[in-house]
Amino acid sequence: TLVFYYRTPHDFDDVEVQTARALGNLAAAAIASAELFEAQRRSREQAERANRQTAFLAEASAALGSSLDYEETLRTVAQLAVPQIADWCAVDVVDEHGEVQRLAVSHIDSAQASGAGSAVAEVIGFGTALMRPNLIVVPLTAHRRTFGALTFVYADSGRTYSDVDFRFAHDMAY
């Protein structure tokens, strides 16, 4: 809404009314353009995210087919995740004594590769995935048993995860 007023009572003439309508139309067009630009920006981001996920899946599929050693494969998956779908990725597994062991970790900056321990323990303990704006932890399960967790973190890039990313990570872990 555009509001025009005078400090004293004033009757607007036709030129003033037409000018106000023109300004209102210009403002509406500017708002519509801004909304369209924002929608296009979101669409580009979604397409870029989908491309990153597709590239990751293609590389991860190749890794899964190239080795029968599950530990080696999970290490490769962690390495492939960075920077495609995370700034930091870790794979934790439960050892034969029931202890959680970090099997693999990959980070854009290897000096910063640590953290997410309590979230991992929670996900493994309850067998349910966890999502925060910059963190996704999904359980690794086989034969209805949780044997570990896969953690994805956005940190340095400033990106955040969406529900689509959460479903992707969840589906990938199963």
Side-chain angles (χ1 to χ4, degrees):
T1 301
L2 290 178
V3 177
F4 299 92
Y5 66 94
Y6 283 83
R7 292 177 193 240
T8 59
H10 175 79
D11 288 331
F12 289 95
D13 62 31
D14 288 340
V15 172
E16 292 171 322
V17 170
Q18 290 299 325
T19 301
R21 282 191 184 132
L23 288 172
N25 288 337
L26 285 172
I31 291 169
S33 293
E35 288 173 346
L36 179 60
F37 179 79
E38 180 61 22
Q40 288 175 339
R41 184 191 63 75
R42 281 192 306 271
S43 292
R44 276 192 308 272
E45 285 178 358
Q46 289 172 349
E48 289 169 3
R49 184 171 280 171
N51 286 339
R52 284 192 307 269
Q53 289 175 347
T54 300
F56 171 76
L57 282 178
E59 293 177 19
S61 294
L64 290 170
S66 68
S67 174
L68 295 176
D69 180 353
Y70 88 96
E71 290 184 7
E72 177 185 330
T73 301
L74 289 173
R75 284 186 194 100
T76 301
V77 168
Q79 292 169 354
L80 292 173
V82 175
Q84 297 293 337
I85 59 174
D87 295 336
W88 182 92
C89 179
V91 179
D92 295 282
V93 295
V94 178
D95 68 15
E96 64 274 1
H97 304 293
E99 299 293 321
V100 176
Q101 299 295 318
R102 175 121 320 144
L103 177 66
V105 65
S106 182
H107 192 290
I108 290 174
D109 178 359
S110 60
Q112 298 183 33
S114 64
S118 63
V120 168
E122 179 182 330
V123 167
I124 291 173
F126 292 107
T128 57
L130 173 76
M131 179 181 150
R132 296 186 184 132
N134 67 336
L135 170 76
I136 294 176
V137 184
V138 291
L140 295 171
T141 59
H143 308 291
R144 297 185 185 160
R145 181 178 138 308
T146 300
F147 68 90
L150 187 56
T151 304
F152 301 102
V153 178
Y154 278 144
D156 302 331
S157 67
R159 298 180 285 182
T160 58
Y161 289 111
S162 68
D163 291 338
V164 172
D165 297 315
F166 184 63
R167 286 190 300 275
F168 171 79
H170 195 267
D171 290 346
M172 190 183 67
Y174 285 95

